[in-house]
Amino acid sequence: MDQNAINNLREALAHSPDNIPLRLHLAQSLAQLFQYQEAEQEFKAVLRLSPQHKDAKFGLAKAYFHQEKYGVTIVVIEELLHLDPDAENYKLLLCRAYLRNDNKAEAQQAFQELVRANPTLRDEELDQAFRNFHFDASADADDGIDEDALRSSRPGINFKHVGGMDRVKDEISLKIIKPLEHKELYAAYGKKIGGGILMYGPPGCGKTHLARATAGEINAEFISVGISDILDMWIGSSEKNLHQLFEQARAKAPCVLFFDEVDALGASRSDMRQSAGRQLINQFLSELDGVDANNDGLLVIGATNAPWHMDPAFRRPGRFDRILFVEPPDQKGREAILQIMLAGKPLGKVDLSSVAKKTEGFSGADLQAVIDRCIEDKLKASFSTGIPDPIATKDLLKAAKVHKATTREWFNTARNYALYANESGLYDDILSYLKVKK
Ligand code: ADP
């Protein structure tokens, strides 16, 4: 296929503009020649003639993806998945778009589903991002962690990509970043370096996002591990694997080792199937203490939505000795988050502060959902004209109106723990957020 062939196709189409197979062929040919912007126009033209045309939609999604328009890629693929929920190629593109759009949690989840459905799946970019989740599901648990499987990444985001969260950023800076930059000063004052940070709070409020950005901020490797993955996947030799995981992270120092759902290590969980054995907890604690190893340059960050399930032993000095409440973003924070999330999208004159005002209680993930919904509506409207209509304040407000904040439910549970199980004021931050008097 070359430019000549494209010209011939265009000529043929001039005579029969409604010929769908021909126009699709033109669109796909343009994409093959990396002319994604023109391909986008032609795929849209096909969709105007046949709105549910799957190949045209998928072509459009890929054309968007290659133009780095990840938000709309996601919207189109999600529509496609309604039509064909099991298509691996749709899911793969969705997963890659999530990743590039920095929707890490969604990308990770989508990736795990893909690998579960097809354990032989290989995709360089996703393997790179999710390392240890990518292994042969049939592998013998005793084999431990596959060297290859634990590939870390250097995140392309830093604190600038995190809206609000100033208090948590300051704490991380003091506890993690400054010690790395000023080792001698800390030594001079006899201040020990080390220990981890534990972030807790309602889901979707940026714990994972900030952990990634922390690694990016100091140009460190980032390894993210879901505890339940350790429990599920390597049952039988979890302690050995946990040790290997720490060893590999140490070898990559400076490295941020991020443990999501760290509460799954809690001894107080009633659901034992989801919970670790005592041995695994002890192993985790001794890795944190670094008794047999040097934890220099190893930065451990844990996150949990259910801190009350965690064993108090985790909170001793040198372990997770900074426990930070990550609250839903305040109005200023929401405005900053919206600003970050809308960067690069077709925007009219948008009054973000009024959108922020109307989204009380929304998490970062909620705000992302509002934007996705808004873009979906705009995209549908633009199919008929073929021209992207800029997003306006009213579009965002409309999308926000139908979305329910997801953080409230968490506070219903958290309030009880904060009121009745608030040992040594651990959850005072929750009470002051809720404006409850002690
Ligand atoms: P948590 O780990 O607290 O459950 P995440 O960090 O996974 O939440 O956040 C979900 C998504 O919301 C992230 O992928 C990110 O895109 C977005 N997000 C959340 N908080 C922020 C923030 N403060 N700034 C920018 N994006 C955010």
Side-chain angles (χ1 to χ4, degrees):
M1 186 56 64
D2 57 15
Q3 203 53 45
N4 240 345
I6 297 278
N7 293 342
N8 292 340
L9 279 172
R10 284 202 193 279
E11 206 161 300
L13 272 167
H15 295 290
S16 56
D18 293 345
N19 184 330
I20 291 178
L22 197 59
R23 196 168 289 280
L24 187 64
H25 186 48
L26 170 64
Q28 288 167 336
S29 305
L30 285 164
Q32 266 173 23
L33 293 174
F34 311 109
Q35 299 174 19
Y36 295 114
Q37 205 173 353
E38 290 176 38
E40 176 190 323
Q41 295 312 322
E42 298 304 328
F43 282 122
K44 281 184 182 160
V46 174
L47 287 167
R48 277 196 291 281
L49 297 167
S50 168
Q52 301 299 330
H53 198 300
K54 283 200 253 179
D55 289 343
K57 272 197 186 199
F58 191 44
L60 178 63
K62 285 191 284 193
Y64 280 143
F65 182 84
H66 288 292
Q67 296 174 80
E68 303 184 359
K69 300 176 181 171
Y70 302 121
V72 276
T73 308
I74 293 170
V75 172
V76 176
I77 289 281
E78 282 175 349
E79 284 185 15
L80 271 169
L81 281 167
H82 280 304
L83 302 175
D84 194 353
D86 294 323
E88 184 179 271
N89 52 351
Y90 298 169
K91 287 189 186 170
L92 198 56
L93 185 63
L94 179 66
C95 187
R96 294 177 63 196
Y98 277 148
L99 185 66
R100 299 260 189 111
N101 202 39
D102 214 33
N103 301 13
K104 166 124 196 300
E106 287 91 339
Q108 183 158 319
Q109 194 183 357
F111 183 64
Q112 281 173 303
E113 275 171 28
L114 274 165
V115 175
R116 224 167 269 148
N118 174 10
T120 60
L121 182 93
R122 286 283 175 274
D123 178 280
E124 198 177 336
E125 185 177 359
L126 296 175
D127 285 353
Q128 190 83 32
F130 299 121
R131 314 143 316 267
N132 49 329
F133 299 115
H134 207 192
F135 66 103
D136 183 351
S138 64
D140 182 351
D142 280 343
D143 287 352
I145 299 172
D146 179 354
E147 241 330 293
D148 253 11
L150 190 79
R151 259 177 280 154
S152 49
S153 64
R154 285 186 190 250
I157 57 166
N158 56 35
F159 279 3
K160 283 205 266 328
H161 299 88
V162 180
M165 303 185 84
D166 294 337
R167 199 177 48 87
V168 191
K169 277 186 196 164
D170 284 349
E171 286 275 358
I172 288 186
S173 174
L174 200 68
K175 174 95 181 160
I176 287 191
I177 297 177
K178 291 281 186 303
L180 211 63
E181 290 170 349
H182 304 285
K183 274 196 183 129
E184 330 69 45
L185 281 181
Y186 276 71
Y189 285 103
K191 185 113 182 85
K192 226 176 124 353
I193 299 177
I197 282 189
L198 177 69
M199 294 187 266
Y200 75 94
C205 288
K207 298 184 286 297
T208 311
H209 190 62
L210 182 58
R212 255 182 106 69
T214 301
E217 189 73 19
I218 49 178
N219 202 17
E221 294 281 331
F222 181 76
I223 300 181
S224 153
V225 196
I227 299 282
S228 60
D229 293 301
I230 296 191
L231 299 179
D232 282 359
M233 294 178 181
W234 302 316
I235 265 162
S237 54
S238 294
E239 296 92 57
K240 195 174 107 204
N241 288 316
L242 192 62
H243 176 65
Q244 281 184 17
L245 186 77
F246 270 90
E247 282 294 286
Q248 293 186 29
R250 285 175 190 120
K252 285 178 194 290
C255 176
V256 171
L257 184 52
F258 176 68
F259 289 97
D260 204 359
E261 334 160 57
V262 78
D263 56 280
L265 282 174
S268 57
R269 276 177 84 125
S270 50
D271 178 3
M272 280 311 282
R273 205 170 40 79
Q274 283 290 320
S275 146
R278 192 70 238 171
Q279 259 177 317
L280 185 59
I281 293 176
N282 289 341
Q283 181 69 40
F284 196 94
L285 294 175
S286 78
E287 297 295 343
L288 282 181
D289 292 340
V291 248
D292 301 320
N294 182 0
N295 279 352
D296 224 13
L298 178 68
L299 314 163
V300 182
I301 301 184
T304 172
N305 302 334
W308 30 84
H309 288 315
M310 285 190 65
D311 192 305
F314 281 99
R315 299 198 288 266
R316 304 237 172 88
R319 295 175 176 171
F320 288 122
D321 46 9
R322 276 281 198 296
I323 308 217
L324 304 176
F325 176 45
V326 176
E327 57 191 42
D330 60 9
Q331 190 183 323
K332 240 179 80 214
R334 292 195 295 278
E335 187 172 337
I337 294 173
L338 287 165
Q339 182 103 44
I340 290 166
M341 288 177 172
L342 286 167
K345 308 250 162 37
L347 283 191
K349 226 175 142 308
V350 176
D351 175 10
L352 290 181
S353 91
S354 73
V355 181
K357 209 177 272 172
K358 292 272 189 238
T359 43
E360 176 81 46
F362 279 45
S363 67
D366 288 330
L367 293 173
Q368 183 70 60
V370 167
I371 291 175
D372 289 348
R373 184 188 291 263
C374 174
I375 290 180
E376 193 169 338
D377 289 346
K378 290 306 263 186
L379 191 71
K380 274 192 199 133
S382 70
F383 278 152
S384 56
T385 60
I387 303 164
D389 181 26
I391 296 170
T393 313
K394 67 172 178 0
D395 302 321
L396 287 163
L397 288 174
K398 192 173 144 216
K401 217 169 182 167
V402 278
H403 188 88
K404 289 261 167 309
T406 55
T407 59
R408 303 221 159 89
E409 202 178 319
W410 184 88
F411 279 106
N412 289 339
T413 310
R415 170 185 284 128
N416 286 334
Y417 283 99
L419 283 173
Y420 307 116
N422 191 13
E423 301 152 51
S424 47
L426 194 57
Y427 303 128
D428 282 358
D429 286 343
I430 297 182
L431 293 176
S432 62
Y433 180 83
L434 291 171
K435 304 196 172 64
V436 174
K437 292 236 162 37
K438 276 180 287 167

